[in-house]
Amino acid sequence: MAGLKPADVVTFGESMVLLQPMSEGPLAYAPLFTRSIAGAESNVAIGLSRLGLSVRWISRLGADPFGDLIASTLAGEGIDVTLVERDPAYPTAVYFKEFKGYGDPNVYYYRKGSAASRLAPEHVKPRWFENARHLHVTGITPALGPETADAVRTAMTEARKQGLTVSFDPNLRRKLWSEEEARRTLLSLVPLCDIFLPGLEEAEFLAGEMTEEQYGAHFLGLGAKAVVLKLGEQGSVGFTPLAAVRAQPHKVSRVVDTVGAGDAFAAGFLSSWLNNESDDDERNLLAALERANLLGALATQYRGDWEGLPKLAEVQRLQSGGRETTR
Ligand code: KDG
């Protein structure tokens, strides 16, 4: 077997075909749709790849045309999809959005019994982590099928055994599982990560009501080495045992679609954090949080879960206050 291309980041999870109505209003009356793909981990993979990191995305897709579409879209983004397996017995999943004209879109999943929902520990191979530095996982995968939580646990454990660092975004999706199961499973995975990336609401769901500083201390106490709280329009705050840093939000004048903003945030954070050049936690946290806030904000400017993710040159231009050349 040929060696795998080195990867800064490995990630795995389910990607789906995404059908978005071209109009606002109830999905039941939407006549026309655009077609794209989506999935928390592949959104992060695209964000990282556009910022110049090498990324390996792993999943199970149906042996069907929608599986082809996902694999070729991600390969087209420069992501290594060599280890993706195609399952002739189970299909690629689909999901729909419903734009109400205000707030977060509603989402409707058609993913029960999908190829990725069959992911099991036996699929997680030591080879997944060969030649790689970091694993990123989300709390969506454990909710998908009977053995997916064990698959995530196995992957996190194996990655650490092979010397990778691990990040974990709980990405709570209440439509996928019960609150009790979600809380128990997500909490059990926190000690297996180095970087924990909850939103404020997710932190409260997992740990009850606390101050931001208490959340930082609480999740560091569970074993994470860095805790990053996403505060939405208020920016973000990060904690390590040595530092606590707040970063102001990147302001935008209008929000088109919030779905995928958390993944963009994760990509922004990791792209900076994994390339830390200094030993100064405060400095490293601030740089990573500022980039994360910027990416999260940019992701809300477009319909679609990843289409608004910027390339490195755009990020550098925005961070240095440069003007955009439009024509
Ligand atoms: O974070 C955005 C994702 O939620 C979206 O792209 C689709 O993976 C997805 C999911 O399970 O909701």
Side-chain angles (χ1 to χ4, degrees):
M1 224 184 292
L4 285 162
K5 274 199 307 196
D8 294 312
V9 177
V10 178
T11 185
F12 83 103
E14 176 161 61
S15 291
M16 300 166 283
V17 161
L18 164 60
L19 293 165
Q20 304 190 103
M22 292 175 72
S23 46
E24 283 174 1
L27 188 62
Y29 308 111
L32 297 170
F33 293 82
T34 57
R35 186 219 61 203
S36 184
I37 69 157
E41 301 79 8
S42 59
N43 299 339
V44 173
I46 293 170
L48 291 169
S49 180
R50 288 187 179 177
L51 294 175
L53 282 82
S54 50
V55 189
R56 184 181 301 159
W57 176 78
I58 305 169
S59 191
R60 296 181 72 75
L61 293 167
D64 49 28
F66 279 172
D68 295 345
L69 171 70
I70 290 171
S72 63
T73 304
L74 296 178
E77 289 287 335
I79 294 160
D80 184 353
V81 293
T82 319
L83 296 182
V84 174
E85 291 188 20
R86 307 297 294 269
D87 189 335
Y90 299 95
T92 302
V94 176
Y95 106 95
F96 291 79
K97 274 189 203 165
E98 178 178 62
F99 293 101
K100 295 166 293 191
Y102 59 89
D104 296 335
N106 289 328
V107 309
Y108 299 91
Y109 296 126
Y110 294 78
R111 66 197 307 184
K112 279 211 175 78
S114 67
S117 75
R118 318 289 304 177
L119 261 165
E122 78 207 42
H123 298 124
V124 179
K125 306 273 165 33
R127 183 167 155 74
W128 282 21
F129 311 104
E130 204 178 285
N131 246 327
R133 294 170 56 201
H134 182 83
L135 170 70
H136 177 72
V137 292
T138 83
I140 295 175
T141 317
L144 296 178
E147 294 190 73
T148 51
D150 284 341
V152 174
R153 201 180 313 282
T154 305
M156 293 169 94
T157 309
E158 178 64 29
R160 293 183 117 191
K161 200 168 109 195
Q162 292 197 34
L164 282 75
T165 49
V166 177
S167 50
F168 176 42
D169 182 339
N171 257 341
L172 175 64
R173 296 290 178 271
R174 292 173 195 269
K175 285 195 171 182
L176 295 178
W177 50 357
S178 72
E179 292 209 346
E180 298 71 48
E181 206 187 346
R183 189 175 292 108
R184 183 170 35 81
T185 308
L186 295 174
L187 276 174
S188 75
L189 296 173
V190 178
L192 299 177
C193 79
D194 300 280
I195 305 169
F196 185 49
L197 297 149
L200 196 55
E201 203 193 306
E202 290 165 331
E204 187 178 339
F205 173 81
L206 293 172
E209 213 181 314
M210 295 182 182
T211 63
E212 291 160 13
E213 288 68 25
Q214 286 169 334
Y215 284 131
H218 180 75
F219 294 118
L220 289 174
L222 293 185
K225 301 193 182 63
V227 174
V228 177
L229 273 182
K230 291 171 269 186
L231 308 176
E233 287 170 10
Q234 310 303 318
S236 55
V237 49
F239 303 91
T240 70
L242 299 175
V245 174
R246 179 173 303 276
Q248 295 308 314
H250 179 85
K251 297 259 191 247
V252 288
S253 52
R254 58 148 186 30
V255 169
V256 177
D257 181 357
T258 51
V259 181
D263 304 328
F265 181 98
F269 186 87
L270 293 175
S271 70
S272 174
W273 187 258
L274 295 178
N275 288 327
N276 279 341
E277 274 164 15
S278 110
D279 292 335
D280 180 347
D281 274 13
E282 216 164 291
R283 199 160 128 192
N284 293 335
L285 267 179
L286 185 63
L289 294 175
E290 282 178 346
R291 186 180 273 196
N293 289 349
L294 173 63
L295 258 81
L298 294 179
T300 67
Q301 302 301 290
Y302 294 84
R303 268 185 185 227
D305 298 7
W306 51 272
E307 282 82 345
L309 291 167
K311 296 209 166 141
L312 186 58
E314 171 74 350
V315 168
Q316 285 166 341
R317 180 185 70 74
L318 286 164
Q319 289 195 313
S320 64
R323 284 167 64 111
E324 186 182 16
T325 310
T326 54
R327 57 183 175 156

